[in-house]
Amino acid sequence: DAFPMIELPFSATESALTQGWVIGLATWVQEDVPTISAALLAAGGGIHPATAFIACFLGIWLGDMALYLVARWLGRPLLATRIGRRLASAAAVGRSEAWFAERGLWLLVVSRLIPGTRLPTYLAAGFLRVSFLQFSVVTALTVAVWTTAIFAIAQIAAPLVEGWLTRQPATRWIIPLTVLPTVVVLRWAWKGGIGGWRLRWKRWQQWEFWPAWLFYLPVVARYIQLSIRHRGWTLPTAANPGMTTGGLVGESKFVTLLDLFRTSPEWTAEAWVLPERPVPERMAALRRLIALHSITHPYILKPDVGQRGVGVRLVRTQADADAYLSFTAECLVVQRYAPGPFEAGIFYYRIPGEDRGRIFAIRRR
């Protein structure tokens, strides 16, 4: 009785810290939804506004800094590996550093406003070793402005939402169920726009431009079915006997073109192989090929082993060729350009033992 009980607000403090940690960590997974949710909670009195704002700001900013530091510390060691040298040369990295040095500040500001651009921009900033001070200050300012804008909008919108819920209490559950889909749709619309939607729709109308995983799902299922039925996992490679593994994977484009040129030279664009060599040697070898065979611009450069048009380039100038050779070290095919005017894919098959095959589809490209 001589010492009266004093209740300290430990529980409230711990609760605020817990809320702040949850919000901050959630921004590392997805920034917009936790920030909007925290702003609405703060506006409705569910969390202290200062706790919500600081948690969002620190979570987003520290996440940006983590991306930068990971790319800065690990990017160059990865570039020194064999795979890294194939992806980018030292000269290409130097050009990118100079370009980023001129426009880096503007890129960092704009990427905060354009969904889908922050991750590659911040990783590039770390890899290209943009000034740490510049990156930290610019990202801190942009995060502060962005978070302040969201919280200000929430303060304006909260009374309107609260009034509507007072009149329609039965619809209270609709808000949390609609926040995430609404944000996702708005981000998608902002990122793609009408032109992006039209392009995506055209791609889905043409199966050859579908994602690789979706395109090959029925192929894999059919492969497994035939392998079990005929008791042999290599059975599907019996198709296209003139090609390595039946054209399933790893076949050389140059070998196939060479066979076609021997039998039907008038219908085959002439091609030559450019083997793996250091970049200066390959550039010199390409120039010798161009001079020896009178190859004129434009012409085609493409990987000898590849699929679905990956890496195929129409080279219009020598600068285009030099840039392409600096980007990749794999074996390439140099081929004369066939200008058209029309191109079609002809799908043909012949059952073993039959004298004549059949064309089952012709697709204009």
Side-chain angles (χ1 to χ4, degrees):
D1 294 337
F3 299 94
M5 297 293 295
I6 301 175
E7 295 185 2
L8 296 177
F10 286 133
S11 59
T13 303
E14 292 174 357
S15 176
L17 289 175
T18 301
Q19 292 173 330
W21 273 105
V22 171
I23 294 171
L25 292 176
T27 61
W28 282 48
V29 179
Q30 213 284 340
E31 293 182 6
D32 296 338
V33 172
T35 305
I36 294 173
S37 301
L40 291 174
L41 282 172
I47 185 175
H48 195 281
T51 301
F53 182 88
I54 294 173
C56 291
F57 172 80
L58 289 179
I60 296 173
W61 184 59
L62 292 177
D64 295 345
M65 297 301 298
L67 291 174
Y68 170 87
L69 293 174
V70 167
R72 187 181 180 99
W73 289 337
L74 301 180
R76 298 306 172 102
L78 291 176
L79 184 63
T81 63
R82 183 178 180 182
I83 296 176
R85 289 194 299 270
R86 288 191 174 190
L87 294 175
S89 66
V93 173
R95 290 193 297 269
S96 299
E97 286 179 334
W99 185 84
F100 211 105
E102 296 178 1
R103 303 172 176 84
L105 179 62
W106 174 246
L107 288 175
L108 293 176
V109 173
V110 172
S111 64
R112 173 55 55 187
L113 304 176
I114 302 178
T117 61
R118 290 194 293 274
L119 176 63
T121 301
Y122 294 171
L123 289 176
F127 176 77
L128 298 174
R129 296 181 176 175
V130 172
S131 167
F132 177 81
L133 179 61
Q134 181 189 54
F135 182 87
S136 58
V137 171
V138 171
T139 51
L141 291 175
T142 54
V143 171
V145 172
W146 177 261
T147 309
T148 301
I150 291 178
F151 272 69
I153 294 173
Q155 287 290 338
I156 298 174
L160 301 177
V161 174
E162 184 179 359
W164 175 63
L165 290 177
T166 302
R167 295 189 299 272
Q168 304 289 339
T171 60
R172 184 179 299 273
W173 58 271
I174 295 177
I175 292 181
L177 293 181
T178 56
V179 168
L180 178 58
T182 301
V183 172
V184 171
V185 170
L186 289 176
R187 284 171 58 88
W188 180 60
W190 191 358
K191 183 178 179 181
I194 297 177
W197 299 346
R198 188 181 296 112
L199 178 61
R200 292 188 185 93
W201 174 244
K202 288 184 178 180
R203 289 188 64 182
W204 280 104
Q205 287 179 306
Q206 303 183 52
W207 55 265
E208 61 185 314
F209 296 117
W210 290 358
W213 63 268
L214 178 62
F215 180 87
Y216 286 110
L217 273 179
V219 177
V220 172
R222 183 64 169 165
Y223 182 105
I224 295 173
Q225 179 192 15
L226 290 174
S227 298
I228 295 174
R229 179 189 299 176
H230 298 281
R231 298 180 297 281
W233 291 105
T234 61
L235 175 76
T237 63
N240 303 318
M243 302 172 66
T244 304
T245 67
L248 187 66
V249 66
E251 73 277 7
S252 168
K253 295 177 182 177
F254 179 72
V255 171
T256 303
L257 287 169
L258 197 60
D259 291 339
L260 292 172
F261 193 80
R262 287 169 182 162
T263 59
S264 308
E266 70 276 18
W267 301 110
T268 308
E270 200 172 6
W272 301 267
V273 67
L274 196 63
E276 293 185 35
R277 292 288 188 276
V279 173
E281 294 182 20
R282 298 213 319 163
M283 290 181 177
L286 177 59
R287 289 183 173 89
R288 288 195 297 270
L289 273 177
I290 292 174
L292 180 61
H293 300 284
S294 302
I295 304 174
T296 59
H297 291 96
Y299 59 87
I300 297 294
L301 279 176
K302 57 186 175 183
D304 186 39
V305 178
Q307 59 181 341
R308 303 189 70 185
V310 175
V312 177
R313 294 291 183 272
L314 178 64
V315 178
R316 300 184 183 276
T317 65
Q318 186 59 44
D320 292 341
D322 292 343
Y324 187 88
L325 293 179
S326 299
F327 180 75
T328 178
E330 61 185 302
C331 183
L332 300 176
V333 172
V334 185
Q335 189 175 25
R336 296 192 191 276
Y337 175 61
F342 302 109
E343 179 186 359
I346 300 178
F347 297 83
Y348 163 89
Y349 72 94
R350 181 177 64 84
I351 304 299
E354 295 184 354
D355 295 331
R356 299 175 65 87
R358 297 175 178 83
I359 294 174
F360 72 91
I362 300 177
R363 175 167 175 79
R364 180 179 175 182
R365 302 174 69 85

